[in-house]
Structure formats: structure tokens, C-alpha cells
Amino acid sequence: HVQSEGVPFMMFHDETGALCESYGVSGYPVAYLIGRDGKVIWEGIPSFDPEGAEQVIQNALSGQ
């Protein structure tokens, strides 16, 4: 689905639940934005807060 829809960002499916457990994810869907330094800079559900997610992305791209 990701390839056929041309999704322009990395997607990860946590088949065993290990990654979700390490981040404390208790429900789906959830999204994380990871900064250039490898740290989480935003977590949430983009469809619930599209402006907030967009602002975090813009700030990260501009180096803020």
C-alpha cells in the first residue's frame, strides 16, 4: 500500500510490538517525528492536529 500510494516518508510496522513497548505506545494510530539527532520531536495523531504536526516539521526543516 505504501508503495502503490507513493507515501514519501518511512513507515514501520512493529509486528512483534517490541518497538511500541519501548516507546510506551498504548494505541494505534500514532506517529512520531524523529529529528536529525535521532530524538523524538513530536508524537501524536497527525489527523487530530495537522497544523501542529506541520509546524513541528517546518521548524525541524528550518533548524529551529
Side-chain angles (χ1 to χ4, degrees):
H1 177 76
V2 171
Q3 290 175 344
S4 68
E5 293 299 318
V7 175
F9 48 83
M10 186 185 318
M11 301 283 295
F12 183 80
H13 175 69
D14 185 14
E15 199 168 305
T16 66
L19 186 63
C20 286
E21 187 175 317
S22 71
Y23 277 98
V25 175
S26 61
Y28 288 94
V30 67
Y32 292 90
L33 296 176
I34 310 297
R36 290 183 174 131
D37 61 0
K39 295 181 181 176
V40 174
I41 60 173
W42 183 86
E43 117 179 51
I45 302 172
S47 61
F48 288 178
D49 184 16
E51 293 83 16
E54 176 71 21
Q55 188 61 53
V56 171
I57 292 168
Q58 293 301 327
N59 289 347
L61 291 174
S62 70
Q64 294 181 9

